[in-house]
């Protein structure tokens, strides 16, 4: 069975980009001229996930407007050379169904995913954190993960080897590699370098089996008071329920300025090569 739904936790404040994110969702920050979340939705679609669930919060209405018709604007540019600039987003709106729910308090990624339960229901689903901007070809990262899901029928996390001095920003796995995937035995959320079980960090792409919701309801928040998806995945891992994929491609952490600027330069150069702009 293919996976139809993809969840986008998008309630966070994006304080690292203030003042840009004072009135604008961080997911709407553009890489060249396309918002981060649109890249994410395109990646979900590439894996056949056309039902898009977005967990939003206060100040995020621009996301809903982006994935909707804009009659006035479309009318204004109809018949001009600018019409083509809306072609991609118009196609996305035609092909996807969008649903939204609000996370009233920011209590961690696990909490955001649990809030998304009413958009997902009882079926496996993808999760994309839009500020992890991934470039991969010919298969997108979510397509690569879907192939692994089809083989193992369990939760899948995307892995990237990161330097030890940055390991404490991520969930980190312990596990053994076989047949190109890691059988995850356990995970630690944001460990100090000396306590990290490996240098394999979980990045913002997941495929989750729906039992994750029941687990999230039962586990306790971590020290920070946040409900961690890593802790829920740990429960699945104890029953051989999690595999990790070191994906092929590049990831830019657009939650911070360095990654955002690198992603912008990379994408601009790629577009110039393609269109000779
Ligand atoms: C979350 C997860 C972490 C994961 C990261 C990927 O952290 O808790 O395990 O490695 O996303 O981006 P956050 O970035 O929300 O602090």
């Amino acid at each position: 069975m293919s996976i139809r739904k993809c969840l986008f936790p998008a309630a966070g404040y994006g304080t690292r980009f203030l003042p840009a994110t004072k009135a604008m969702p961080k997911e709407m920050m553009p890489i060249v001229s396309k918002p981060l979340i649109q890249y994410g939705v395109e990646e979900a679609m590439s894996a056949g996930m056309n039902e898009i669930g977005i967990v939003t919060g206060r100040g995020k209405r621009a996301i809903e407007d982006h994935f909707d018709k804009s009659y006035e604007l479309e009318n204004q540019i109809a018949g001009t050379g600018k019409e083509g600039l809306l072609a991609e987003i118009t196609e996305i709106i035609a092909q996807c169904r969008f649903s939204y729910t609000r996370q009233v308090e920011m209590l961690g990624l696990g909490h955001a995913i649990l809030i998304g339960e009413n958009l997902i229901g009882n079926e496996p689903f993808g999760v994309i954190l839009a500020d992890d901007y991934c470039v991969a070809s010919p298969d997108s990262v979510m397509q690569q993960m879907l192939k692994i899901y089809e083989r193992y029928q369990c939760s899948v996390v995307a892995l990237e080897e990161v330097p030890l001095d940055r390991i404490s920003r991520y969930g980190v796995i312990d596990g053994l590699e076989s047949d190109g995937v890691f059988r995850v035995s356990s995970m630690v959320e944001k460990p100090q370098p000396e306590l990290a079980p490996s240098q394999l960090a979980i990045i913002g792409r997941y495929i989750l089996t729906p039992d994750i919701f029941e687990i999230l309801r039962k586990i306790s928040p971590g020290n920070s008071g946040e409900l961690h998806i890593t802790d829920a995945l740990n429960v699945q891992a104890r029953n051989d329920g999690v595999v990790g994929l070191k994906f092929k491609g590049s990831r830019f952490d657009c939650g911070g300025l360095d990654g955002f600027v690198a992603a912008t330069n990379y994408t601009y150069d790629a577009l110039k090569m393609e269109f000779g702009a």
Side-chain angles (χ1 to χ4, degrees):
M1 196 187 91
S2 64
I3 298 186
R4 303 182 305 149
K5 295 187 178 177
C6 192
L7 193 67
F8 287 75
Y13 296 126
T15 45
R16 276 180 280 177
F17 283 98
L18 284 170
T21 48
K22 183 162 178 275
M24 180 185 77
K26 65 175 170 143
E27 295 76 14
M28 291 300 294
M29 297 276 292
I31 300 296
V32 187
S33 56
K34 194 189 286 188
L36 275 168
I37 194 160
Q38 184 176 332
Y39 289 103
V41 169
E42 287 174 2
E43 187 181 327
M45 291 171 76
S46 72
M49 302 172 188
N50 284 20
E51 302 222 3
I52 308 295
I54 306 187
V55 181
T56 67
R58 290 177 291 283
K60 298 281 184 167
R61 270 183 237 162
I63 297 177
E64 292 176 52
D65 289 338
H66 185 69
F67 294 111
D68 198 353
K69 267 183 147 335
S70 171
Y71 286 103
E72 199 178 323
L73 176 68
E74 283 163 38
N75 190 37
Q76 191 74 240
I77 63 174
T80 74
K82 301 253 170 72
E83 225 175 350
L85 297 177
L86 287 181
E88 281 178 347
I89 183 69
T90 305
E91 191 56 25
I92 291 172
I93 294 166
Q95 288 195 18
C96 292
R97 200 164 62 151
F98 290 87
S99 336
Y100 300 87
T101 191
R102 276 197 182 207
Q103 187 183 13
V104 174
E105 290 175 291
M106 307 315 148
L107 297 175
L109 180 56
H111 180 255
I113 290 174
L114 187 53
I115 295 284
E117 182 181 15
N118 62 338
L119 305 179
I120 300 295
N122 189 26
E123 56 186 285
F125 60 102
V127 175
I128 291 184
L129 306 184
D131 48 18
D132 267 339
Y133 167 63
C134 292
V135 184
S137 122
D139 281 357
S140 70
V141 175
M142 197 46 100
Q143 271 176 304
Q144 295 172 37
M145 293 173 76
L146 182 65
K147 285 183 180 161
I148 299 301
Y149 172 78
E150 282 164 355
R151 182 144 47 109
Y152 292 92
Q153 302 283 320
C154 69
S155 290
V156 185
V157 293
L159 300 174
E160 184 181 304
E161 202 154 340
V162 305
L164 269 184
D165 62 351
R166 275 191 264 143
I167 205 78
S168 63
R169 300 180 191 177
Y170 300 96
V172 182
I173 68 135
D174 195 358
L176 286 178
E177 192 172 11
S178 79
D179 284 341
V181 299
F182 285 83
R183 306 301 306 222
V184 178
S185 52
S186 65
M187 277 149 281
V188 189
E189 177 68 6
K190 304 197 171 84
Q192 287 311 305
E194 60 279 13
L195 297 176
S198 72
Q199 282 176 248
L200 293 169
I202 302 172
I203 62 113
R205 300 287 183 279
Y206 304 79
I207 288 180
L208 300 173
T209 52
D211 54 310
I212 202 80
F213 295 123
E214 200 49 49
I215 299 171
L216 281 166
R217 255 190 292 281
K218 286 197 183 126
I219 61 172
S220 314
N223 289 342
S224 58
E226 293 187 338
L227 200 55
H228 295 307
I229 190 61
T230 312
D231 293 339
L233 282 163
N234 244 329
V235 176
Q236 290 187 330
R238 268 181 235 135
N239 300 313
D240 288 333
V242 184
V243 295
L245 172 71
K246 243 169 114 179
F247 64 92
K248 294 194 177 64
S250 308
R251 175 192 66 111
F252 298 91
D253 174 7
C254 293
L257 276 175
D258 288 350
F260 181 78
V261 173
T264 304
N265 289 333
Y266 176 95
T267 306
Y268 185 61
D269 287 345
L271 285 169
K272 269 204 303 202
M273 293 263 279
E274 196 178 335
F275 299 109

